[in-house]
Amino acid sequence: MSRSKNNTPQGVSRRTILKTGATAAVVASSPMFFMRNAWAQEFRNDPSKQSTVTFGFNVPQTGPYADEGADELRAYKLAVKHLNGEGDGGMINTMQPSSLKGNGILGKKVQFVTGDTQTKSDAARASAQRMIQRDGVTMFTGGSSSGVAIACQSLAQELGVIYMCGLTHSNDTTGKDKRRYGFRHFFNAYMSGRALGPVLKEEYGTDRRAYHLTADYTWGWTQEESMKNTTEELGWTTARTVRTPVGAGDYSQYLTQVLSSDADVLILNHYGNDMVNSLTQAVNFGMRDRSVNGKNFEIVVPLFSRLMAQGAGNAIKGILGSTNWNWSLQDAGSLAFVKSFGAEYGAPPSQAAHTCYVQTLLYANACEMAGTFYPPEVIKTLEGFKFDGMGNGPTEYRADDHQCFKDVLVVRGAEDPTNQFDLLDVVKEVPRSQVEYDPSIFGGELGPYKV
Amino acid sequence: MNMSARAKIQTTPAKDWILFIAFSIVILTMPLWTMPIGASYPALLQKFAIYGIFAIGFNILFGLTGYLSFGHAAFLGVGSYAAVWSFKLFTMNAIPAVIFGVIFSGLLAYLVGFICLRRTGIYFSILTLAFAQMCYRLAYSVLTPITNGETGLQLSGGDPRIIDRMFFEASPGLPSPRLFGYELGGYAGFYFCAVMMIITFFIAMRITRSPFGMKLKAIRSNQNRMNYIGFHTRPYTQMAFVISGMFAGLAGALLAVTDPLAGAERMTWTASGEVVLMTILGGVGTLIGPVLGAGAIKYFENIFSAFNENLLHNTFAILPDGLENIVVSAISPFVGNGWHLTLGLIFMAVVIFLPGGFMEGITRIQRYIDRKRNGSVDSKTENEKEPNHG
């Protein structure tokens, strides 16, 4: 308009210009009145005007969980490939029900940006803000720490962009800190406790004295609480619970205290490099050769992963723990995923990689099903979504707390591994019914759909 | 020293006003000129402003008195915690949060300064470092009920927010920090921080030019001589320490205002070291230098760390394939999670070639241009290493 004003020839009056201007304004704004619905659905980083949709992969590339982060990133890249119809399609072929067509999402090619969480809440949020504000991501995902996941999840709620949690095991993620815009496929500490209980009873009896070493943050706290409750229900007693800082490296000062106590079981509520260090040091202290109260001294690691088993080497042999998924599972989904991951990277995927891959596909599928990227609609599609063929058997995203419910694996460190990746033996597949709980026990509130 | 060089070092109130106005304009137009370097998004702009404040405050202590504190992150952390508690207990308004942040960090700074300032040099640095680590460990362990440990302190729906509740009902979902009805997210948050930064810059400038600032500089050049002529220096260093701690608290509170979450990791010794790096990188003792240094470090942390191989391949796609792969594999260790490496190299280069930081580089360029214009070379200006305090 200003342009036409500049070029106004002498003969045209001011009045004409004003009139034309007013008409133009009315014409330009009329779609707003008629397309009310489109107006209402305006949301942050709406990709509908672009030919691509961008995901943000926010994983720890440095810090104590860096190994997990690297594997998560591999899985994300593979998921993007499969979504765009490249490679062999992996779990897209086994997922049921699936609306994915292998041509991106809603016809849009999937792109991604990456970031480093440094396993710190501040850095993770800064990185996520960059993805959302500058790179325009429609969904972000990742994290290998519950502290980070909870921080990212509340950012997701504030900014109205869906966050699909990566590896996070704390009860709080879908408990007291749950959010409408956050979803967790991974299992949690409560389920670990429930699943491990019967096996511990079978293996170690009902008269034991447990000593806890716990990573000092949300995941460790809830893990310790869940394990304590489970073991005390079996009749065990708790000698002491000690909190250790994340990334401590040297645990000898804590382990000597274990030696001088009357405990006969050590429960290591540690993860990642922390667990590799504490377990290796505990074994080097000769703990497993001791006998206390007339029983063999045992070590339990409630949350296990193959990557950690790899790091801990021989120390892992015979140790009991639980895991979300293991690459040795023989169902169609796991086989397809392990095959395409192995072909791409030459090593089987970890449980962190599995959950991240599945989360990306689940989000993509929900968008296809909802027919839109509009977050409230996508959220409603994911809530209560039941699916199969993703490696864990029949699974449900519970609507009340955005937690997935599925079978849990109890595993043991392999006594004599046949190859460098075959480090965990599955002891028991604990059925979903045994690990289910009432969502109200942890409190929390999901918050509104529309922000 | 020739006349033109002397005129440069001399500062006049008029020149200060020009500097101040130019600074304000540059800061307020930041969303525009950071566009080409990919930094123009609210979260990073907020960080530029906030860490700029942190560095300006740190420079009041380190740049003027020469006391190198290795524990300033503790004040930043306390500022954040105080602000988040103000959000939780009283109101989501940012003003009380900022005031509480400044007060509490000021109190802590008084206490820490009272003990640490009895020593100078390396002993002072070690003492402050010890205090900061102590605060960090406390936040992590025994103070968990106040700090929520490693998870970090967050808002929750069940917070009392007494003052807010007196005026209106709680809305569903979590509230966000506001300034009398204006939400302080995105660019509004940046402008709030930018205005705070301009105010702190003004205060820092007034302090530097005041008799008080002159005494601080005298303490740096020779504290013994000050004592011999009958000057009791402790109150002055104590004052500088508290002011600088309060600036750090303000920065911490602003971090909480723009993103209502406070974590103990803000208080680690690496965070304390970061502000030292910022100040040295930009130019110790200069007014603008610390702001430049803070910007540079935050830029590296947020932008360089996000480069991945895909992006590099896209950038160098015009090169022939073989060459492209070589270039990408040569550059990739320095970007992405290798951004620390690049920062380290730049830091080394600055310390070796420009001991006065970026500001020395700017002063040198200025002099070079001046010489070209005047056509005369004065060997004395060449040897002048003292950074321009302006």
Side-chain angles (χ1 to χ4, degrees):
Chain A
M1 230 182 82
S2 68
R3 195 183 177 151
S4 73
K5 199 171 179 178
N6 289 341
N7 297 339
T8 311
Q10 293 289 318
V12 181
S13 70
R14 177 183 296 264
R15 188 181 201 100
T16 322
I17 295 168
L18 285 176
K19 261 162 69 185
T20 340
T23 321
V26 169
V27 170
S29 62
S30 58
M32 303 296 178
F33 295 107
F34 299 120
M35 293 157 67
R36 254 249 169 78
N37 228 0
W39 186 241
Q41 284 212 350
E42 202 160 81
F43 59 96
R44 195 186 285 269
N45 298 341
D46 181 0
S48 59
K49 290 190 188 63
Q50 301 148 12
S51 61
T52 58
V53 53
T54 310
F55 289 171
F57 299 144
N58 205 10
V59 301
Q61 298 177 5
T62 50
Y65 299 150
D67 285 350
E68 312 278 336
D71 218 39
E72 289 183 0
L73 203 53
R74 285 186 206 113
Y76 284 132
K77 287 179 182 167
L78 192 67
V80 168
K81 265 190 156 180
H82 291 167
L83 286 174
N84 286 334
E86 299 158 31
D88 63 5
M91 279 194 196
I92 289 186
N93 304 321
T94 62
M95 181 178 177
Q96 286 162 337
S98 167
S99 310
L100 294 170
K101 301 178 191 74
N103 63 343
I105 306 172
L106 298 173
K108 294 181 195 304
K109 193 169 182 279
V110 183
Q111 286 183 324
F112 66 90
V113 292
T114 59
D116 183 6
T117 67
Q118 303 175 30
T119 320
K120 291 179 189 161
S121 307
D122 270 351
R125 279 170 79 107
S127 169
Q129 282 171 322
R130 172 182 54 74
M131 291 173 172
I132 294 167
Q133 294 176 343
R134 191 188 67 162
D135 304 329
V137 301
T138 309
M139 179 274 284
F140 69 116
T141 168
S144 193
S145 154
S146 293
V148 166
I150 289 169
C152 284
Q153 187 167 277
S154 58
L155 183 77
Q157 185 79 32
E158 278 164 35
L159 299 182
V161 175
I162 292 179
Y163 177 66
M164 301 297 281
C165 299
L167 194 150
T168 156
H169 190 243
S170 169
N171 294 338
D172 294 345
T173 313
T174 48
K176 80 173 172 55
D177 295 315
K178 64 189 169 199
R179 293 283 182 273
R180 185 69 69 186
Y181 278 73
F183 286 88
R184 171 163 68 179
H185 169 263
F186 207 67
F187 71 142
N188 64 26
Y190 181 88
M191 296 176 171
S192 280
R194 287 285 130 202
L196 272 171
V199 179
L200 290 179
K201 185 177 174 187
E202 215 169 281
E203 301 262 340
Y204 302 144
T206 54
D207 180 30
R208 284 282 189 167
R209 200 158 165 73
Y211 194 106
H212 290 257
L213 288 184
T214 303
D216 195 359
Y217 73 109
T218 169
W219 168 67
W221 304 336
T222 62
Q223 173 78 73
E224 177 191 287
E225 189 194 353
S226 296
M227 284 310 289
K228 211 172 144 214
N229 291 343
T230 308
T231 52
E232 284 176 358
E233 269 173 37
L234 299 177
W236 294 21
T237 51
T238 305
R240 243 187 109 183
T241 58
V242 175
R243 305 274 163 91
T244 64
V246 179
D250 182 11
Y251 291 88
S252 43
Q253 53 167 323
Y254 305 105
L255 292 169
T256 44
Q257 289 177 22
V258 179
L259 289 177
S260 59
S261 76
D262 60 343
D264 47 30
V265 176
L266 172 64
I267 297 179
L268 288 176
N269 300 311
H270 288 152
Y271 193 75
N273 285 347
D274 287 356
M275 175 267 173
V276 170
N277 289 331
S278 63
L279 180 65
T280 317
Q281 286 164 21
V283 172
N284 287 344
F285 267 58
M287 290 212 181
R288 305 200 58 203
D289 309 323
R290 294 173 72 222
S291 80
V292 186
N293 311 333
K295 300 179 203 84
N296 258 341
F297 191 91
E298 302 290 351
I299 301 175
V300 177
V301 179
L303 178 61
F304 242 165
S305 93
R306 199 206 78 238
L307 285 180
M308 286 151 47
Q310 220 162 310
N314 281 335
I316 203 85
K317 284 180 182 172
I319 305 262
L320 278 175
S322 68
T323 180
N324 190 51
W325 177 84
N326 194 35
W327 69 278
S328 62
L329 291 173
Q330 292 301 314
D331 60 289
S334 302
L335 287 175
F337 179 49
V338 172
K339 184 165 157 273
S340 52
F341 194 94
E344 186 85 18
Y345 304 113
S350 63
Q351 61 171 354
H354 170 257
T355 197
C356 291
Y357 178 89
V358 171
Q359 284 278 66
T360 314
L361 258 51
L362 283 174
Y363 172 80
N365 183 56
C367 292
E368 285 281 357
M369 281 172 70
T372 173
F373 291 99
Y374 183 53
E377 288 303 319
V378 178
I379 291 171
K380 281 174 194 154
T381 313
L382 275 171
E383 285 177 342
F385 181 58
K386 291 192 178 80
F387 57 95
D388 198 357
M390 302 288 265
N392 300 99
T395 310
E396 181 188 356
Y397 246 126
R398 185 157 74 181
D400 302 316
D401 55 0
H402 292 189
Q403 168 70 48
C404 263
F405 282 87
K406 53 194 176 339
D407 300 348
V408 173
L409 301 180
V410 174
V411 292
R412 189 202 305 272
E415 286 292 351
D416 45 356
T418 48
N419 64 53
Q420 57 164 328
F421 303 116
D422 178 26
L423 298 168
L424 300 176
D425 294 335
V426 177
V427 178
K428 197 176 172 191
E429 281 189 47
V430 181
R432 170 187 162 175
S433 57
Q434 201 183 315
V435 297
E436 243 179 307
Y437 57 89
D438 179 1
S440 62
I441 60 171
F442 293 124
E445 203 186 320
L446 283 169
Y449 283 97
K450 222 172 129 45
V451 291
Chain B
M1 195 181 291
N2 70 6
M3 285 311 290
S4 75
R6 178 169 289 282
K8 274 224 146 10
I9 287 167
Q10 259 178 8
T11 52
T12 59
K15 274 189 177 175
D16 276 354
W17 278 110
I18 292 170
L19 178 71
F20 174 68
I21 289 165
F23 178 82
S24 308
I25 292 170
V26 168
I27 295 301
L28 291 174
T29 56
M30 198 142 74
L32 297 177
W33 57 261
T34 49
M35 207 92 83
I37 55 171
S40 182
Y41 61 98
L44 184 57
L45 295 173
Q46 290 162 4
K47 296 257 164 10
F48 283 158
I50 292 169
Y51 282 91
I53 294 174
F54 190 23
I56 289 174
F58 182 76
N59 190 50
I60 291 180
L61 181 71
F62 182 43
L64 296 185
T65 67
Y67 277 83
L68 175 58
S69 160
F70 254 111
H72 256 53
F75 308 128
L76 185 85
V78 168
S80 287
Y81 282 125
V84 175
W85 272 112
S86 157
F87 289 144
K88 284 171 87 75
L89 295 180
F90 306 118
T91 167
M92 290 306 293
N93 196 321
I95 301 290
V98 165
I99 293 172
F100 276 113
V102 171
I103 290 176
F104 275 93
S105 54
L107 287 176
L108 181 72
Y110 186 84
L111 190 77
V112 173
F114 185 75
I115 298 165
C116 297
L117 286 165
R118 286 160 195 276
R119 293 286 171 269
T120 55
I122 187 78
Y123 305 102
F124 170 80
S125 303
I126 295 292
L127 277 175
T128 48
L129 176 63
F131 266 101
Q133 276 302 86
M134 217 153 75
C135 292
Y136 167 62
R137 288 288 166 208
L138 284 176
Y140 222 144
S141 53
V142 285
L143 294 182
T144 306
I146 302 176
T147 61
N148 203 17
E150 152 99 15
T151 319
L153 192 61
Q154 292 189 32
L155 302 180
S156 81
D159 294 332
R161 274 187 272 284
I162 308 169
I163 300 176
D164 279 1
R165 283 302 82 80
M166 284 195 275
F167 296 103
F168 47 84
E169 278 300 300
S171 53
L174 288 181
S176 51
R178 47 187 69 237
L179 187 68
F180 306 110
Y182 289 100
E183 270 198 31
L184 288 177
Y187 284 105
F190 162 68
Y191 282 111
F192 184 69
C193 298
V195 168
M196 287 290 176
M197 186 195 198
I198 290 167
I199 295 171
T200 51
F201 180 79
F202 183 75
I203 297 173
M205 194 166 78
R206 300 308 305 160
I207 289 177
T208 312
R209 305 287 185 247
S210 68
F212 171 68
M214 189 54 82
K215 278 161 202 151
L216 295 182
K217 281 183 239 175
I219 290 170
R220 180 181 62 177
S221 58
N222 197 333
Q223 186 161 193
N224 282 337
R225 186 185 290 166
M226 289 282 281
N227 286 327
Y228 291 155
I229 59 172
F231 226 96
H232 191 40
T233 52
R234 271 295 295 290
Y236 293 93
T237 49
Q238 176 81 34
M239 192 66 152
F241 194 83
V242 171
I243 291 172
S244 144
M246 286 163 93
F247 275 40
L250 172 65
L254 288 177
L255 278 177
V257 167
T258 53
D259 190 0
L261 175 131
E265 70 216 18
R266 271 179 203 163
M267 304 174 132
T268 49
W269 64 273
T270 46
S272 297
E274 204 179 53
V275 71
V276 180
L277 285 191
M278 287 170 182
T279 314
I280 294 177
L281 204 57
V284 182
T286 60
L287 280 169
I288 309 269
V291 180
L292 287 180
I297 287 190
K298 284 294 143 190
Y299 181 75
F300 271 93
E301 187 181 318
N302 288 284
I303 303 297
F304 254 61
S305 68
F307 287 175
N308 52 31
E309 285 204 3
N310 274 359
L311 202 79
L312 288 179
H313 276 291
N314 290 340
T315 316
F316 295 106
I318 35 161
L319 298 174
D321 251 6
L323 189 62
E324 181 191 324
N325 286 338
I326 295 172
V327 171
V328 169
S329 56
I331 295 179
S332 56
F334 296 97
V335 299
N337 49 27
W339 66 271
H340 278 117
L341 193 59
T342 318
L343 187 65
L345 288 175
I346 291 180
F347 188 68
M348 274 171 63
V350 165
V351 170
I352 294 169
F353 300 111
L354 294 172
F358 293 151
M359 285 313 286
E360 185 177 340
I362 292 171
T363 320
R364 281 196 194 177
I365 292 169
Q366 237 172 26
R367 286 197 189 141
Y368 180 77
I369 294 168
D370 275 2
R371 272 208 309 264
K372 280 263 167 173
R373 202 179 289 156
N374 297 341
S376 67
V377 181
D378 191 325
S379 60
K380 263 193 173 169
T381 35
E382 190 90 321
N383 294 333
E384 252 252 311
K385 279 275 151 70
E386 181 68 15
N388 181 354
H389 291 286

